[in-house]
Amino acid sequence: MGGVTRDDLYDAIVVGSGITGGWAAKELCENGLKTLVLERGRHVEHGKDYVTEWLQPWQLPHRGRGEQALYERDYPIQSKNYAFGEATRHFFVNDREHPYVTPHDQPFRWIRGYQLGGRSLIWGRLCWRWSDLDFEANLRDGHGVDWPIRYKDLAPWYAHVERFVGVSGERLGLPHLPDGEFLPPWELNCAEHVVKRGIERAFPGRHMTITRVANLTQALDGRGPCRARNQCARGCSYGGYFSSLSATLPAAQRTRRLTIVTDAIVHSVTYDERKDRATGVRVIDRNTKETREYAGRLIFLCASTLGTAQILLSSATRRFATGLANSSGAVGHNLMDHISKAGASGTVPGLEDKYVYGRRPTGTYVPRFRNLGGRGDAKLGFVRGYGLQAGAGRDGWTRGTELPALGAELKRQLREPGAWQMTLQGYGECLPRQENYVDLDPARTDQWGIPLLRVHCAWSENERAIREDVKTQSAEMLEAAGCKEVETYDHDGPPGFSVHEMGTARMGRDPRTSVLNAHNQAHDVPNLFVTDGACMASSSCVNPSLTYMALTARAVDYAVGELKRGKL
Amino acid sequence: MTSPTAIDRREALRQAALVLGGVLSAPLAAGVLAGCEARGTPDAAWRPRALTPDQAELVATIAEQILPATDTPGARAVGVHRFIDALLAESYRAGERERFVAGLTDLGRAFQASTPDQQRALLERLDREAAPFFRTLKDLTLVGYYTSEIGATRELHHVPVPGRYDGCVPLGQVGRTWAV
């Protein structure tokens, strides 16, 4: 190994600057710890480096149509993500430069943003609390291992992060989708009100609400409010949505205890067998490819589900021959994602004289209504459940290609908006399964000499059954709400596509079957914590980021306490 | 994003942002950017890169039939043919580009052997039948037109920074289709 720099001993090293790395940094710094954040990608400065933020449609070189030949060569995976495009490409990795391996017939779409702030710049921003329906699911139906925590353990930490993030939403009083600390909700539009009434009348117990979303409907701590541009993934100088760059890293910086080093790819965690402690991390400089080390008393891995697994697997020692903190053998296994890209759409009749003002940065949501413990659950043919992300809008000028019209008549028609369309899309829970796993390629490495990650992941019967129910129920609800021309859809959606990958270093009660304890602390290595999606023992059906954030803040609180008690 | 124009524009924006203390107001941003856009190549000096000048002229002619000048300028005036040529040159793979040019050549043969009335009837028939090449050309014409500054801001309605969201307003309050 090359030069070793142990000039500074940090109280804590955080690997990754995305949504959990940012939270770890903020909480560690605010608790008085001298903290180093390592980011493998480039530096991005809030505001200044949002280089496409102010470009109008006519100022994009290809008017949003992008460069197809380039995408096929360099972004064949990233370009499939909904947020990828001409104005956001620079916040996604170049697939050619960042390879990983999948079996030929078993694709996995690994969507990545290697820059300061990580994927918090381009995330979907939906924020849902889990409930005990989720935390008890593994115990109840026997899939995976029991979570070592319950809702009451996390509830105060949900509140803690919601208050800082700024989550807008509507209180529903549903036990399986607990209410939080909300800013005022975004409005439903006229067509969504119609569909909501129709669904709730026809299906007692089902609801439609506005999504709970990290777009500020009111200013908060000098950020926002959101200006309703709906172009979040370009970056937002207003700080209208929550990201590491707009919120957590600046808070950490205000303590003057934060050091950020970018272009620093963590190869592995270093470990001292005699002391039974992690001692720091080994880093490869992205540009010079030189190796160096940093020393820290606490290590927080927040490098993303697959990134963290890769680091642990690369950190084998004599004691941990298959990867650091892997006496259970669970590191890399039980990879999950949510199913999505299936549902139904239909036309909402009437309301021709109504329209919207502004571009709401989110949609509506039908909370889970399957397997809530009522009669009929057994007949469904699947365990767990799904929620539906939804939304309505009027057709715009793009409908013109399909309209049989040309010339002045075509222009006249497109000058007015078309019909209201409503779409429902299912996001379904994925079971933890040992056979969905990542490991290291024994032969091939990337340009930094790091063994390539191999991803083996496929849907099971349960996910396929959920997918079918999503389509049937979505169509039935739209029909019941009076929609016309209702059609189901089912687009290609291999695992990874929902960008909710999780599970590769799961929490659990038993060190023989799980990697982390109830405080996200490695069973095997007391000063090593994992608080990104890798820690998840099951996947729920709701978007996971808020839970990652709450777990991170809770883990920091515990780690700092242990450190002060002299136990670490 | 590496053309001198883009860099000038970014620099101009950065300076404007400094003046305003960091956050650029929308009207000023629009002014700065429009000024930069006006420095584009004048029509006489423009040369197509993927198409021949004749082919580019044919694209401009058909695009103008699809979206003509009315009380607002049409496809030719906003440079839809330039957009299509740039897309062909910079975005399309070689095979796709060749297919487009072959389709254009076929359509051009039928088109140029016809009177204006026959041309109109031909395009209307292709539109009704959703003929594959014509459909592609119509799609690109619509994109080029409605994402142009004139298409977005004069033919349709565009507000770069809405500032709020109202979920149910009278259509008359907005007046036209939102460009974005």
Side-chain angles (χ1 to χ4, degrees):
Chain A
M1 288 294 171
V4 174
T5 51
R6 288 186 181 277
D7 48 347
D8 283 323
L9 173 67
Y10 290 95
D11 294 327
I13 296 176
V14 178
V15 180
S17 65
I19 213 152
T20 57
W23 265 101
K26 170 185 177 300
E27 300 290 295
L28 288 162
C29 286
E30 290 180 351
N31 274 289
L33 271 61
K34 195 175 82 165
T35 303
L36 171 67
V37 168
L38 296 169
E39 165 53 50
R40 64 170 296 155
R42 68 190 170 98
H43 183 82
V44 173
E45 194 175 325
H46 179 59
K48 175 175 154 290
D49 290 331
Y50 301 153
V51 294
T52 58
E53 182 181 3
W54 300 104
L55 297 182
Q56 298 310 309
W58 53 92
Q59 292 158 338
L60 293 172
H62 303 98
R63 305 288 184 85
R65 281 290 167 117
E67 296 172 67
Q68 296 311 321
L70 174 73
Y71 296 173
E72 281 167 30
R73 194 189 68 199
D74 288 354
Y75 301 90
I77 296 160
Q78 308 306 308
S79 61
K80 304 287 193 303
N81 182 265
Y82 74 95
F84 180 97
E86 201 172 333
T88 58
R89 168 164 65 83
H90 49 289
F91 291 143
F92 289 82
V93 300
N94 180 318
D95 288 314
R96 201 157 46 96
E97 292 172 0
H98 300 93
Y100 61 97
V101 183
T102 52
H104 189 64
D105 55 348
Q106 210 172 289
F108 182 91
R109 295 219 174 111
W110 189 9
I111 304 300
R112 292 165 287 171
Y114 289 164
Q115 62 261 332
L116 191 65
R119 290 182 296 186
S120 78
L121 290 180
I122 51 179
W123 69 307
R125 307 175 305 286
L126 269 54
C127 291
W128 312 102
R129 292 187 179 200
W130 283 31
S131 73
D132 278 335
L133 185 71
D134 303 305
F135 289 112
E136 291 172 359
N138 285 358
L139 181 65
R140 211 168 33 241
D141 62 30
H143 296 279
V145 297
D146 187 23
W147 277 89
I149 58 169
R150 290 295 182 261
Y151 178 65
K152 67 172 170 40
D153 299 309
L154 207 51
W157 296 101
Y158 276 130
H160 176 75
V161 296
E162 282 163 350
R163 280 194 292 267
F164 182 77
V165 166
V167 178
S168 59
E170 180 193 19
R171 300 177 72 84
L172 294 171
L174 300 177
H176 60 284
L177 193 68
D179 294 332
E181 312 262 329
F182 298 143
L183 299 178
W186 293 88
E187 283 184 15
L188 299 188
N189 63 42
C190 344
E192 290 161 350
H193 274 295
V194 168
V195 175
K196 171 186 165 73
R197 278 197 298 274
I199 290 175
E200 293 178 356
R201 199 162 36 217
F203 298 93
R206 298 191 190 181
H207 307 269
M208 178 175 283
T209 185
I210 192 74
T211 57
R212 297 170 180 172
V213 66
N215 286 80
L216 298 172
T217 48
Q218 292 174 347
L220 181 69
D221 301 333
R223 293 185 279 128
C226 167
R227 303 305 202 274
R229 294 183 295 175
N230 192 24
Q231 56 176 47
C232 311
R234 297 184 186 193
C236 181
S237 297
Y238 300 112
Y241 74 96
F242 174 86
S243 72
S244 297
L245 296 193
S246 69
T248 43
L249 290 178
Q253 258 155 346
R254 283 193 288 274
T255 67
R256 301 179 180 276
R257 299 188 187 99
L258 178 68
T259 303
I260 294 174
V261 177
T262 53
D263 301 308
I265 303 173
V266 171
H267 168 277
S268 50
V269 176
T270 53
Y271 172 74
D272 184 332
E273 226 150 274
R274 284 165 304 143
K275 294 182 188 156
D276 186 27
R277 293 291 183 274
T279 54
V281 294
R282 184 170 296 128
V283 159
I284 300 169
D285 188 287
R286 185 170 72 92
N287 300 312
T288 66
K289 297 186 174 146
E290 283 171 5
T291 299
R292 60 184 187 273
E293 290 183 8
Y294 293 96
R297 299 164 72 197
L298 280 178
I299 309 295
F300 269 71
L301 293 183
C302 299
S304 86
T305 295
L306 297 189
T308 286
Q310 189 171 24
I311 291 168
L312 289 173
L313 294 169
S314 298
S315 308
T317 68
R318 212 164 36 181
R319 182 182 156 201
F320 297 109
T322 61
L324 188 63
N326 194 26
S327 66
S328 64
V331 169
H333 289 273
N334 301 293
L335 175 62
M336 299 168 276
D337 184 30
H338 288 141
I339 65 140
S340 64
K341 310 287 180 255
S345 57
T347 302
V348 184
L351 302 168
E352 287 95 351
D353 59 342
K354 297 284 193 275
Y355 209 13
V356 298
Y357 182 89
R359 298 185 290 280
R360 189 183 62 191
T362 193
T364 68
Y365 190 68
V366 178
R368 176 171 161 183
F369 52 85
R370 291 303 206 191
N371 291 323
L372 298 180
R375 283 175 300 146
D377 283 358
K379 279 187 246 156
L380 286 175
F382 58 85
V383 296
R384 317 286 171 105
Y386 57 87
L388 299 164
Q389 295 186 18
R394 293 192 74 163
D395 278 339
W397 57 263
T398 55
R399 76 186 192 280
T401 306
E402 313 279 335
L403 279 180
L406 288 180
E409 172 59 18
L410 178 62
K411 269 179 92 175
R412 191 191 60 75
Q413 287 191 42
L414 296 182
R415 199 175 265 195
E416 288 214 347
W420 290 90
Q421 307 290 353
M422 181 88 195
T423 301
L424 304 180
Q425 179 184 197
Y427 272 74
E429 180 156 3
C430 168
L431 295 176
R433 295 160 69 227
Q434 170 78 8
E435 59 267 39
N436 284 336
Y437 72 101
V438 299
D439 62 3
L440 300 180
D441 191 296
R444 286 170 286 182
T445 65
D446 64 17
Q447 58 178 301
W448 298 280
I450 296 174
L452 296 189
L453 203 61
R454 297 192 299 197
V455 186
H456 314 75
C457 194
W459 300 124
S460 73
E461 267 321 304
N462 201 65
E463 286 92 43
R464 280 190 283 273
I466 286 178
R467 205 173 178 89
E468 289 310 308
D469 199 55
V470 160
K471 289 185 280 183
T472 314
Q473 293 305 307
S474 296
E476 282 184 19
M477 283 189 275
L478 290 179
E479 297 272 6
C483 293
K484 307 295 179 198
E485 295 155 38
V486 174
E487 284 180 8
T488 62
Y489 65 90
D490 191 340
H491 299 150
D492 172 42
F497 209 25
S498 297
V499 207
H500 294 167
E501 70 274 13
M502 52 186 127
T504 52
R506 67 184 176 191
M507 295 167 74
R509 298 171 189 274
D510 186 345
R512 290 168 304 179
T513 57
S514 61
V515 182
L516 308 169
N517 68 15
H519 299 282
N520 296 72
Q521 179 183 30
H523 290 300
D524 293 338
V525 183
N527 64 336
L528 176 64
F529 291 78
V530 175
T531 72
D532 58 29
C535 75
M536 305 297 274
S538 69
S539 69
S540 175
C541 67
V542 301
N543 308 57
S545 295
L546 186 74
T547 299
Y548 301 169
M549 293 190 258
L551 286 169
T552 301
R554 181 172 175 273
V556 169
D557 180 66
Y558 173 80
V560 170
E562 289 290 277
L563 198 62
K564 286 181 179 162
R565 287 186 285 272
K567 292 194 177 170
L568 297 179
Chain B
M1 292 308 303
T2 53
S3 72
T5 316
I7 290 164
D8 289 351
R9 184 162 63 214
R10 215 174 302 156
E11 187 51 36
L13 272 172
R14 221 164 259 173
Q15 294 195 357
L18 283 177
V19 171
L20 291 166
V23 178
L24 190 58
S25 79
L28 182 59
V32 171
L33 294 166
C36 294
E37 197 180 49
R39 280 185 243 139
T41 321
D43 215 47
W46 178 74
R47 294 281 175 276
R49 285 179 294 153
L51 300 169
T52 66
D54 284 350
Q55 287 167 340
E57 175 57 27
L58 180 62
V59 168
T61 303
I62 298 173
E64 183 70 13
Q65 292 267 349
I66 295 170
L67 294 171
T70 52
D71 58 343
T72 61
R76 181 189 285 275
V78 308
V80 162
H81 52 296
R82 292 193 192 191
F83 161 69
I84 291 175
D85 180 69
L87 210 59
L88 289 168
E90 294 162 12
S91 175
Y92 276 42
R93 279 169 299 146
E96 280 180 314
R97 188 159 54 236
E98 283 156 22
R99 266 198 302 284
F100 183 94
V101 171
L104 182 65
T105 306
D106 282 351
L107 177 55
R109 255 195 303 275
F111 196 77
Q112 276 150 348
S114 311
T115 65
D117 282 353
Q118 288 169 328
Q119 288 176 348
R120 182 79 195 166
L122 171 66
L123 296 183
E124 280 171 358
R125 181 171 60 77
L126 293 173
D127 188 42
R128 269 196 313 277
E129 293 170 355
F133 173 75
F134 183 75
R135 207 185 157 84
T136 300
L137 187 56
K138 188 180 181 187
D139 174 54
L140 293 175
T141 300
L142 262 61
V143 173
Y145 184 75
Y146 289 111
T147 63
S148 73
E149 187 167 11
I150 285 171
T153 64
R154 288 176 59 191
E155 176 61 24
L156 302 182
H157 194 52
H158 180 58
V159 179
V161 186
R164 66 174 196 284
Y165 177 76
D166 294 329
C168 203
V169 299
L171 175 58
Q173 187 181 312
V174 179
R176 299 189 178 199
T177 302
W178 286 112
V180 176

